[in-house]
């Protein structure tokens, strides 16, 4: 992905080479901030309200005082300035606590730093990758429900997947799978979809929520039941979900091959087809 041409910072839209923040910004020093990513498809953001609501929820959880209700106007200004108003693109939003002398406790009466950028991004109609993934212990902190900018654990775990020529690392904690380094993960056994409950141990992804809606509409049983690492050889299908990943089939987990490279499980296929339909109706 290339750098954006222009960046929005605190109400100003500037060339990316002129986009600067203070070295004392708490987002830079502590990773003290929240971010959100969403995609625009044919001029309409996919599940925009859900993404902005999650952004507001994250800010509330870490006590950053910022009202996201005014962001829609600023997003339109940014898209206009970057000539992406009616084009497929990815939008990144980051809000940090702001600039203050370095101290661990929250400083009072500082103004949050708001940064956004948009880049052209055309998602495939259906994500046809048949991913290979590795599994690793989930060593991150216990508030994974917060979409924070401090992502070192996720970065390290995803890099390990890259070193093994895999698409993702799916994580387990206390013997049960939680999520992946930048995706949610689902499993299918005997036609039933299984995934970890939405708790503080995972990020409740927007696409994850869409999968629940699709399962209901397709009469596919779905359970928020964590899957044990010891049961992985009994799993029939597995897939990943995320804003840019959409719904991606998993072909192989460690040494366990679910199906050959050209095949996709029937439940995964149904969900991918249904996901495409709601994108077209978005």
């Amino acid at each position: 992905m290339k750098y954006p041409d222009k960046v929005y910072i605190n109400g100003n839209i500037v060339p990316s080479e002129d986009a600067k923040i203070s070295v004392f910004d708490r987002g830079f020093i502590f990773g003290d901030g929240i971010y959100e990513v969403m995609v625009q498809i044919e001029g309409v953001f996919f599940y925009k309200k859900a993404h902005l609501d999650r952004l507001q929820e994250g800010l509330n959880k870490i006590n950053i005082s910022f009202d996201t209700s005014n962001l829609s106007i600023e997003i339109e200004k940014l898209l206009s300035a970057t000539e992406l108003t009616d084009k497929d693109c990815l939008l990144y939003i980051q809000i940090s606590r702001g600039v203050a002398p370095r101290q661990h406790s929250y400083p009072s009466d500082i103004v949050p730093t708001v940064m956004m950028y948009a880049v052209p991004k055309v998602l495939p109609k259906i994500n046809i990758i048949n991913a290979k993934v590795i599994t690793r212990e989930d060593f991150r902190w216990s508030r994974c429900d917060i979409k924070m900018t401090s992502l070192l654990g996720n970065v390290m775990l995803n890099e390990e997947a890259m070193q093994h020529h895999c698409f993702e690392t799916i994580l387990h904690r206390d013997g049960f799978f939680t999520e992946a380094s930048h995706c949610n993960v689902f499993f299918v056994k005997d036609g039933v979809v299984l995934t970890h409950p939405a708790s503080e141990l995972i990020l409740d992804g927007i696409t994850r929520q869409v999968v629940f809606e699709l399962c209901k509409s397709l009469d596919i049983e779905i359970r928020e039941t964590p899957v044990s690492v010891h049961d992985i050889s009994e799993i029939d299908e597995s897939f990943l979900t995320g804003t840019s990943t959409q719904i991606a089939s998993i072909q192989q987990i460690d040494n366990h091959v679910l199906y050959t490279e050209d095949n996709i499980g029937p439940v995964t296929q149904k969900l991918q087809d249904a996901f495409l339909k709601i994108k077209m109706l978005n």
Side-chain angles (χ1 to χ4, degrees):
M1 182 183 296
K2 69 172 186 176
Y3 289 111
D5 293 329
K6 296 181 180 180
V7 176
Y8 174 103
I9 297 185
N10 296 331
N12 299 312
I13 300 172
V14 299
S16 58
E17 60 269 23
D18 296 329
K20 312 292 182 185
I21 63 166
S22 168
V23 296
F24 298 109
D25 192 286
R26 288 178 62 93
F28 174 70
I29 292 177
F30 291 116
D32 185 1
I34 299 294
Y35 77 99
E36 191 59 60
V37 180
M38 52 186 174
V39 292
Q40 180 168 264
I41 303 170
E42 296 185 358
V44 179
F45 279 107
F46 190 63
Y47 279 71
K48 177 182 178 181
K49 183 179 184 302
H51 280 283
L52 292 180
D53 285 350
R54 182 173 65 179
L55 176 62
Q56 184 68 68
E57 181 182 354
L59 293 168
N60 294 344
K61 284 179 178 178
I62 66 171
N63 299 310
I64 290 181
S65 180
F66 183 85
D67 184 358
T68 61
S69 63
N70 295 322
L71 278 182
S72 289
I73 296 173
E74 302 304 294
I75 290 170
E76 291 305 315
K77 292 177 183 177
L78 174 63
L79 294 182
S80 177
T82 54
E83 299 182 351
L84 291 171
T85 298
D86 297 316
K87 297 178 182 177
D88 287 12
C89 64
L90 179 146
L91 175 71
Y92 179 85
I93 307 170
Q94 177 174 308
I95 302 175
S96 76
R97 198 173 302 277
V99 179
R102 189 184 186 280
Q103 65 181 46
H104 281 68
S105 60
Y106 300 160
S108 59
D109 301 324
I110 63 170
V111 178
T113 299
V114 183
M115 185 273 285
M116 301 189 292
Y117 65 80
V119 290
K121 177 78 171 181
V122 179
L123 296 178
K125 290 185 176 181
I126 291 178
N127 191 341
I128 61 172
I129 68 165
N130 226 343
K132 294 182 180 180
V133 303
I134 58 173
T135 66
R136 292 292 185 269
E137 181 74 26
D138 192 347
F139 57 72
R140 304 167 303 162
W141 75 329
S142 59
R143 289 304 308 273
C144 300
D145 58 306
I146 300 174
K147 199 172 177 67
M148 60 178 181
T149 57
S150 180
L151 290 171
L152 181 58
N154 302 65
V155 168
M156 292 172 65
L157 289 159
N158 190 255
E159 175 60 21
E160 191 168 1
M162 299 301 104
Q163 294 299 323
H164 285 80
H165 307 288
C166 290
F167 179 76
E168 253 288 26
T169 301
I170 59 174
L171 313 174
H172 53 84
R173 195 186 297 249
D174 298 325
F176 292 93
F177 288 109
T178 51
E179 58 182 353
S181 71
H182 70 289
C183 298
N184 289 117
V185 62
F186 293 78
F187 304 92
V188 183
K189 176 62 178 175
D190 297 328
V192 178
V193 178
L194 307 169
T195 193
H196 194 284
S199 68
E200 293 182 349
L201 299 182
I202 74 164
L203 180 71
D204 187 11
I206 304 303
T207 309
R208 177 186 184 276
Q209 297 170 28
V210 173
V211 166
F212 275 80
E213 295 174 9
L214 294 178
C215 284
K216 182 178 180 180
S217 68
L218 295 169
D219 291 324
I220 296 172
E221 184 178 354
I222 184 167
R223 300 176 190 165
E224 289 187 286
T225 301
V227 172
S228 168
V229 296
H230 301 297
D231 294 335
I232 199 64
S233 62
E234 304 299 320
I235 291 298
D236 301 321
E237 305 175 41
S238 186
F239 58 89
L240 300 163
T241 63
T243 296
S244 59
T245 301
Q246 303 183 94
I247 299 176
S249 173
I250 296 177
Q251 175 199 349
Q252 182 173 336
I253 303 173
D254 290 331
N255 294 323
H256 177 53
V257 178
L258 292 164
Y259 25 76
T260 61
E261 195 167 327
D262 295 331
N263 292 329
I264 293 178
V267 173
T268 304
Q269 184 71 68
K270 285 181 182 178
L271 290 169
Q272 286 181 330
D273 292 341
F275 188 76
L276 174 60
K277 288 180 181 178
I278 65 169
K279 282 200 305 178
M280 302 304 290
L281 294 173
N282 182 45

